[in-house]
Amino acid sequence: MISKAFVVLTALLFSLNALSSAFAFPNNPKFLKRQEIEDASSPTGGGFGAVDPPPPPGPPQFTGTKLVHDGDHPWQPLRNGDERGPCPGMNTLASHGYISRDGVASPSQMVTAVQEGFNMENQFAIFVTYVAHLMNGNLVTDLLSIGGKTPRTGPDPPAPAHAGGFNVHGTFEGDGGMTRADEFFGDNHSFNETLFQKFVDFSNQYGDGYYNLTVAGELRFQRLQDSIATNPQFSFKNVRYFTGYGESAFPINFFVDGRNTDRRLDMVSARSFFQDMRFPPDFHRPPKPTSNEGIAEIFSMHPFLPGGNVDGKVNNFMVDPTSADFTKPCVLYADIVNTVQGLYPNPTGVLRRNLIKNLGFLYSSLPTALGAQCDQLFPYGQL
């Protein structure tokens, strides 16, 4: 039986929220003024100081469907230097100004943005955002790139940490993606037309021209088989195992207009999100806070255990019994903490304080996001 651990899958990523209003809307004059000051002070976005990270925002007051492609959030084309990455949801929110259009924001701002733009459930939004931030963000400046590594997040942390952003392989980005190629083949974050055409073909074959849960289950399994057959470094376990299934459900839960009840995504809207990073015209968000509904159905069509190709050979898949899976949510939490501890083996001062705080924010979301009561881990002690 699959537990509520499915709710941890995302994506954007993803998907990916509901931020404080002061940061959710770049038309806010205080937010714009801050950006102007930062942009003027240096080519990398201004001077950076240590930030005491605030607690993540709670749920918004209004959680129903509403127009999100509105006059306050017009789509704008990319400017030179703007960051975009493997998560079409966050890419779209940045292009509409729900976070800074340069693609760099704090985790609190990202949580607010996904709540406002996609009506993502609060605790789920907190979990996925702080996983990304702890593994791929700048813990001193409290900034995270939705694309690649950029000086806009501030000075590099001490090695082996990297502040590499969403493009870092193996967390939100990973092998077997629906519209992004495996890292082994070079570009793991750009829209891939060949893979999108497979998305379209499967939608035609199994969904009468729409992407739905049946399509999601068939395409997820096929993309795993593709990677096993072609990528000698294929890996699909721990965090990526969860986010890989999450990205299959994400388009159904967040890219379908909230006024529709059929839970199927048309191909014009799919391309708008995946390639153009743009809300379809008159797009309304879902009618209620949403996380990863449908994951159990997707998984059950072709159950797949975590693992990867071994010995640098294709078609050499082996199950990894130590990996987290949907029956072991607390193993996932432990793996995240162990990964963070490997990135920051001996933190001191502000860095240590911020690690403790961010790990606490992550832990607070576990009962809802993972559906489990896990023993809290304290690799850096307590404040």
Side-chain angles (χ1 to χ4, degrees):
M1 180 177 180
I2 298 171
S3 75
K4 291 184 180 178
F6 283 113
V7 82
V8 75
L9 309 174
T10 100
L12 0 321
L13 31 188
F14 305 76
S15 64
L16 309 213
N17 306 266
L19 302 322
S20 67
S21 59
F23 293 107
F25 308 104
N27 292 314
N28 182 293
K30 291 183 179 179
F31 183 74
L32 290 172
K33 186 63 177 176
R34 190 193 72 183
Q35 283 193 308
E36 290 169 3
I37 292 172
E38 290 178 349
D39 290 344
S41 58
S42 91
T44 62
F48 295 92
V51 173
D52 187 1
Q61 289 186 340
F62 178 68
T63 58
T65 192
K66 69 174 183 179
L67 177 68
V68 291
H69 190 175
D70 58 16
D72 289 332
H73 302 92
W75 180 84
Q76 292 182 9
L78 295 183
R79 307 163 301 184
N80 185 36
D82 286 348
E83 291 294 328
R84 299 293 185 269
C87 177
M90 290 307 302
N91 291 345
T92 298
L93 292 174
S95 292
H96 281 272
Y98 277 92
I99 62 169
S100 175
R101 294 179 187 274
D102 67 4
V104 173
S106 74
S108 288
Q109 292 163 5
M110 290 184 180
V111 170
T112 296
V114 291
Q115 291 185 144
E116 283 295 324
F118 290 123
N119 210 2
M120 187 176 284
E121 193 277 326
N122 175 252
Q123 294 297 299
F124 178 63
I126 290 170
F127 182 84
V128 296
T129 301
Y130 281 86
V131 169
H133 187 51
L134 282 160
M135 291 183 170
N136 303 323
N138 190 313
L139 276 296
V140 173
T141 62
D142 200 39
L143 292 171
L144 171 64
S145 167
I146 67 170
K149 186 176 180 61
T150 171
R152 287 185 176 273
T153 62
D156 284 347
H162 45 70
F166 275 33
N167 288 3
V168 172
H169 181 62
T171 51
F172 289 112
E173 182 284 321
D175 293 336
M178 292 196 300
T179 62
R180 269 66 177 172
D182 291 3
E183 184 190 48
F184 176 78
F185 301 109
D187 184 351
N188 66 350
H189 55 273
S190 298
F191 174 81
N192 185 299
E193 180 65 34
T194 300
L195 291 179
F196 183 74
Q197 285 305 315
K198 176 168 281 193
F199 181 97
V200 172
D201 290 344
F202 271 64
S203 297
N204 289 333
Q205 182 177 355
Y206 296 102
D208 195 25
Y210 293 86
Y211 182 81
N212 58 21
L213 285 175
T214 301
V215 179
E218 297 297 335
L219 182 60
R220 168 45 52 215
F221 183 69
Q222 184 59 52
R223 287 295 299 122
L224 293 173
Q225 300 308 306
D226 290 344
S227 288
I228 290 171
T230 60
N231 179 0
Q233 298 176 9
F234 170 69
S235 178
F236 197 76
K237 56 186 178 180
N238 291 318
V239 175
R240 177 53 187 163
Y241 185 79
F242 285 77
T243 61
Y245 278 97
E247 75 178 43
S248 295
F250 196 92
I252 300 167
N253 292 328
F254 299 108
F255 292 170
V256 176
D257 191 288
R259 296 166 297 179
N260 297 338
T261 60
D262 54 11
R263 300 194 71 204
R264 58 180 192 167
L265 179 67
D266 67 87
M267 295 301 99
V268 173
S269 296
R271 185 178 288 277
S272 183
F273 282 108
F274 282 111
Q275 181 177 20
D276 300 336
M277 301 171 284
R278 187 172 192 165
F279 286 123
D282 195 40
F283 185 79
H284 288 60
R285 73 185 191 184
K288 63 180 182 179
T290 303
S291 55
N292 265 326
E293 288 80 351
I295 293 296
E297 291 91 332
I298 294 171
F299 177 83
S300 65
M301 292 180 203
H302 298 281
F304 186 91
L305 294 176
N309 281 337
V310 297
D311 299 328
K313 299 177 182 178
V314 298
N315 292 314
N316 201 25
F317 180 84
M318 289 190 64
V319 172
D320 184 350
T322 68
S323 171
D325 61 30
F326 299 139
T327 68
K328 300 180 288 187
C330 291
V331 174
L332 176 66
Y333 166 60
D335 178 74
I336 293 166
V337 174
N338 290 336
T339 300
V340 172
Q341 193 171 11
L343 292 171
Y344 299 95
N346 298 295
T348 59
V350 170
L351 179 57
R352 175 180 173 274
R353 179 203 69 191
N354 288 4
L355 278 162
I356 293 172
K357 293 190 73 171
N358 280 285
L359 285 167
F361 301 153
L362 175 73
Y363 181 76
S364 69
S365 71
L366 297 187
T368 299
L370 288 179
Q373 293 286 345
C374 305
D375 292 335
Q376 188 168 7
L377 304 176
F378 298 99
Y380 308 114
Q382 298 173 258
L383 294 177

